[in-house]
Amino acid sequence: MHDPTHHDRPLRVGSLFSGYGGLDLAIEHALGAETIWFSEINEPVARIFAQHWPDAPNLGDITTINWQAVDPVDVLCGGFPCQDVSTVGKRAGLAPGTRSGLWSYMAATIEALRPRLVVIENVRGLLSSPALRAQAEGDDDAHRNPDDATPDPATLRNLESDPWGLGDSATRPLRAAGAVLGDLADLGMDAQWLGLPASLVGAPHTRFRIFILAQPHSAVQDSARDRLDTWRGEPGSSTSASRHDRTVPSDHRPRPSRTAWLAQQEHRIGDPVEPDPRHLHCWGRYAAAVARWEHITGREAPAPALLNDDAGPRPAPEFVEWLMGLPAAWVTDSGHGLTQNQQITALGNGVLPLHATRAIQSMMDSQAGRMN
């Protein structure tokens, strides 16, 4: 088992609620890291991840994993299920038994593995949904899974009352974000969060997401941060071949093939783009947004809809894949064996890698600024 303080390898990433790997791509790109295992219970979606990370085993259901038998990691990431904190759901919060209540298992994983960095992604509703929802009269709990997602002893940790809305007074109930941040604090982690729209990186849609970055608050905190800064380097960078504590100049650092395309996207974000007559003819008022995203992603937008005389038009998976900034066939490759509905579901639940990259880098830069 490798010593996590050595500098002769990339940072090791453990991935929870992995989906198609959008958050992993961002972390690997931003930190020059490598995902060594993942946890995904949806078997069809797990096939996508396994195809792109063939050496990373799937640990399966987070509720059954024995963390004492799992390889330690430097970075733990995950976007725990959002259904119960989403503004379009029933706002059941993080209560035991809800899908979003699986956060308690991620917290337990953090406690068991003690990673040097934790990266969390979730929907905007994390800021406004209550951590626990009181059962209303006549509520039949139809929104809940038939089986509890959390064990009976699992409870949310308490957080001191907060007059700005993250407390747990009767008039200002504890929010889901407050519960997550409170749990991280109880685990000895310093955390910061950031909310960003995907349009900030040029995507032709808003897709506002919350990102949380946490590190241990301990006697070794500064050395852990220094190491992450050392490994970060240029976007897409990897381990230093010199094995010294300083990074190798960017021209001499290898770029992992898995995220090389992401580095190219990042460099194109600020380029001026003008729609041409083709864009105006095909996309109308969306021409400028489509042209900009085509330039950033480096590929033409696919047809947006599948036409069906019986059911009417519905989104084309290839188009949604493009909207998420993924390479062609990352999710829609027929070799994965997913139906079109499964592809749409996987994409809808996923993370836009360029979006997450900007969030991670912004928080790392903010942290570095406070350290200087």
Side-chain angles (χ1 to χ4, degrees), residues 48-237:
I48 302 173
F49 199 102
Q51 178 68 29
H52 297 295
W53 282 269
D55 297 327
N58 182 8
L59 304 185
D61 187 348
I62 189 175
T63 69
T64 64
I65 297 171
N66 175 13
W67 294 112
Q68 303 305 315
V70 173
D71 286 340
V73 291
D74 305 295
V75 184
L76 183 70
C77 69
F80 60 91
C82 66
Q83 293 95 329
D84 300 298
V85 296
S86 172
T87 56
V88 299
K90 292 191 176 182
R91 317 280 274 182
L94 306 180
T98 64
R99 289 158 292 186
S100 296
L102 288 169
W103 156 249
S104 68
Y105 282 96
M106 185 170 184
T109 304
I110 296 169
E111 187 171 29
L113 297 182
R114 308 305 303 176
R116 300 183 185 275
L117 186 71
V118 174
V119 182
I120 301 168
E121 178 270 348
N122 217 285
V123 296
R124 187 175 199 159
L126 197 71
L127 300 177
S128 57
S129 291
L132 293 171
R133 180 180 67 86
Q135 184 162 330
E137 183 177 355
D139 190 345
D140 61 1
D141 284 337
H143 60 285
R144 297 178 65 172
N145 290 336
D147 299 320
D148 284 347
T150 56
D152 292 338
T155 58
L156 294 171
R157 295 173 175 85
N158 293 325
L159 187 70
E160 293 181 3
S161 297
D162 185 298
W164 301 107
L166 294 181
D168 53 3
S169 69
T171 56
R172 293 184 181 274
L174 178 65
R175 305 301 185 192
V180 171
L181 296 172
D183 283 352
L184 289 169
D186 283 349
L187 292 168
M189 309 288 285
D190 283 339
Q192 57 179 314
W193 66 270
L194 181 66
L196 292 176
S199 55
L200 188 69
V201 295
H205 50 87
T206 303
R207 199 172 177 84
F208 195 98
R209 289 295 182 268
I210 303 299
F211 298 90
I212 300 173
L213 185 146
Q215 288 186 298
H217 178 70
S218 67
V220 297
Q221 180 179 12
D222 289 346
S223 63
R225 285 177 172 172
D226 288 343
R227 181 162 185 269
L228 285 166
D229 287 340
T230 299
W231 277 103
R232 179 183 169 196
E234 294 295 318
S237 65

Side-chain angles (χ1 to χ4, degrees), residues 6 18 23 40 47 58 80 120 138 202 204 219 255 290 357-358:
H6 286 177
S18 305
L23 191 56
E40 175 56 59
R47 291 201 296 268
N58 182 8
F80 60 91
I120 301 168
R255 293 185 182 274
V290 170
T357 295
R358 173 59 62 88

